[in-house]
Amino acid sequence: MRIYDIAFYIAGFFILGVLAASSGLNFIIIIMATILMAAIFLFIGYLRKIPRIFWLTGLCLFIIIGAFYYFWWNSYQIKNLNIIFDEKINFQGLVVKNPEQGNQQKLVVTFQPPYSGKVLIKLRSYPSFDYGDLINFEGIIKRPDSQSYAAYLAKDSIFGIVDYPKTELIAKNQGSVIKSQLFKLKEKLISNFQKTLSAEKSAFLAGITLGERTEFSQEFKEAMAKSGTTHLVALSGYNITIIVLVIAAFFSRFLSRKITFVLTILAIFGFVLMTGAEASVVRAAIMGFIALLASQVSRLYSIRNAIVLAAFFMVLVNPRVLYFDVGFQLSFAALLGIVYLGPAIQKFFRIKEEGGFLGWRKNFLTTTSAQLAVAPLLIINFNQFSLTALIANILILEVIPPTMFLGFLLGAMGFFSTALAIILSWFINLFLVYELTLINVFAKISLPITKIGISGIIIYYLIMVGFIVYNYRNVKS
Amino acid sequence: MLSPNRLILIMIFLVVFDFFIWGLILFEPVNKNLQVYFLDVGQGDSELVILPNGPKVLIDGGPNNKVINELASVLRPTDRYIDLILLSHPQTDHFTGLIDVLKRYQVGVFIFNGRSGTVDSWSKLIKVIKENKIPAVVLAAGDKIHYLNSQFNFLLPDKNFIESTDLNETTLVSLLQSQNSKILFTGDIDAKIEDYLIRKYDLDIDVLKVSHHGSKFSSGEKFLSNISPKIAVIEVGKNSYGHPTKEVLKNLASVGAQIFRTDKDGTIKLLINNQGISIFKKK
């Protein structure tokens, strides 16, 4: 077995172990199941005399390591927790994430000694706090109301909520200097959007370029959910690609390949930090990094390994994302759909290679395969999957890349001249009007599917995998 | 270098843009009317005045960023400039929305009564004004702003009230005269200030921005009969004070004023020219 195959199976089995553990299975059961699986591999390997299968027998160990890692990580988190619940206390906390502003502020703070752990704090809009503020609070720490909300917060190691405590600022700028500068840059970019575009449009543009969602009105959020376009404002490979293209195109003119590479990597890293490191953008950043690295050291880029390694690193940093972070699941499901289901559909329906006008065929394939791959996840998590979403997405995604590109340009232009930025904003306005109109129209003509059982999901994905395998076989023969 | 598809796209784009620009130049309506919008911002005040020939004056910004959506529905999307912002007095239901306005629009001048607010968000407002380098001007009784045939006369506060501990008494009261009509913006003044106002000035107005969201401590009978408004607009939203109160509604009715309120009518638009006043309600 080759080294890249070994890496693939190690990462894959590790992830499988974490998945088994986080789905609530007992450690003993996981060990037993793994041993059984290893035995089956051994048996098949012995029958067929394929060394590859023998290798798999040994690598099964990583399922157990993955499961163990998950249990260890969890107990480590809880051991380091010191929170007093349901009692009015005084405590100091450091704001560790860029606060969500809006008609209400949401701060994520880590306790200062004697307490430890993280809580979510809800406050009125003013006084407004920033990342890196050290604040004295007086309030009651409560546990999250519902189990699903608790799981959602626990994914980020947040175990308590404080509603409207008394606050007193102790010190500013106690966080990382780089992060606080990046957050300021993001704020400035968004303010450049706001200065040149109307509220709804600037909010949407901030969403698709920087993943910022706090300015969305409730009606707009619902319109996106109903029309099946919410994913537009989750950061993705698009954003990373545009950054890579722009940075590389700019610097490679007068700098060496190596330095351009380093600068591009730094830019990606900065972007991920700036946008709060949500799962989809971290995934895209890791894969972008692997792709760039491959071309830098002149190695082949294997998409299969890149996907699994990205998932592996993310699970290593936080094993809870695999089971509890819907964004993580959607991001990987969509990508797997594009990479594997897309070509299968293309072969099956004999769709031409050429893109067609504005590359609509390619967009159609990408969108269709991504949507089909995430549909069950959307239905079970959000009760939202509209049959018309496919058309909406094909029509909208066509213009998202230029909108994004112009958006970044607008943000940059705002630093030099508001007047020039305003002229540029007229162009973006055209795109934004088109996109927002479609979102609102398709919200009205949505054909929602809301129910699908666990067995439905399994059957759905089995059919999908079968379809993919069938089409690949056909190609080989 | 460019594929035919791209070229087509760029051409379409340029043609559309060209039409757009010429459209802006040729069909820009030169507005000869006075427009006054009483914006529906909930429990708070915000009025947008568009003078004949175009200058925009925003009086107060309401208690939250609702004003942004209201402005967006009135102004063209490409219109990112507000000439003047007038803050009547530094209370949160009048200035909080201005923080977002100042962040999102270019503003010519910020005008206020010189008093500082006592709440946390006031420092945020000052910070935004400084960051965007917007000139701030303090005006008081006796000051005027002219534009062609329109003018704002500032009636209050004078030296008797500017240092009042009750910020409502420091309200920058303004009288707009334009297109043969008179509109009085009263902020949050109470009956004491109202009586002082009619002792000091001889007022006969057409439109009244009813003081303090229809509070029972304002809009006294004597004051109303003295200024005899034909139209009275109450800027009010959901609240626990009982605004607008029965007394105020009764007083306004008894002087024959046509009453409009933003909680029931939504944003109210007055279109005023020499022929008279037309009224449009959003709801």
Side-chain angles (χ1 to χ4, degrees), chain A residues 103 126-128 191 194-199 201-202 215 356-359 418 422-423 426-427 429-431, chain B residues 5 8-9 13 16-17 20-21 24 64-65 68-69 72 77-78 80 96 99 103-104 106 120-121 124 132:
Chain A
N103 281 332
Y126 296 101
S128 63
S191 118
Q194 293 176 336
K195 279 201 164 66
T196 49
L197 296 163
S198 69
K201 288 174 196 150
S202 63
E215 301 269 335
F357 182 67
L358 297 173
T418 310
I422 286 177
I423 293 177
W426 297 349
F427 290 92
N429 240 308
L430 298 178
F431 287 111
Chain B
N5 278 341
I8 292 170
L9 188 67
F13 206 68
V16 170
F17 187 58
F20 176 67
I21 295 284
L24 280 187
N64 52 42
N65 61 11
I68 295 300
N69 291 325
T78 48
R80 306 306 302 170
T96 309
I99 297 172
K103 276 186 189 166
R104 289 161 185 267
Q106 289 182 284
D120 295 318
S121 41
K124 182 84 183 176
N132 289 287

Side-chain angles (χ1 to χ4, degrees), chain A residues 346 350-367 394 398, chain B residues 3-6:
Chain A
Q346 191 179 14
R350 305 219 170 87
I351 297 171
K352 282 189 229 160
E353 270 308 322
E354 310 92 70
F357 182 67
L358 297 173
W360 74 268
R361 275 196 203 95
K362 199 164 167 275
N363 280 326
F364 172 78
L365 266 182
T366 311
T367 313
I394 291 164
E398 203 70 62
Chain B
S3 71
N5 278 341
R6 282 237 172 118

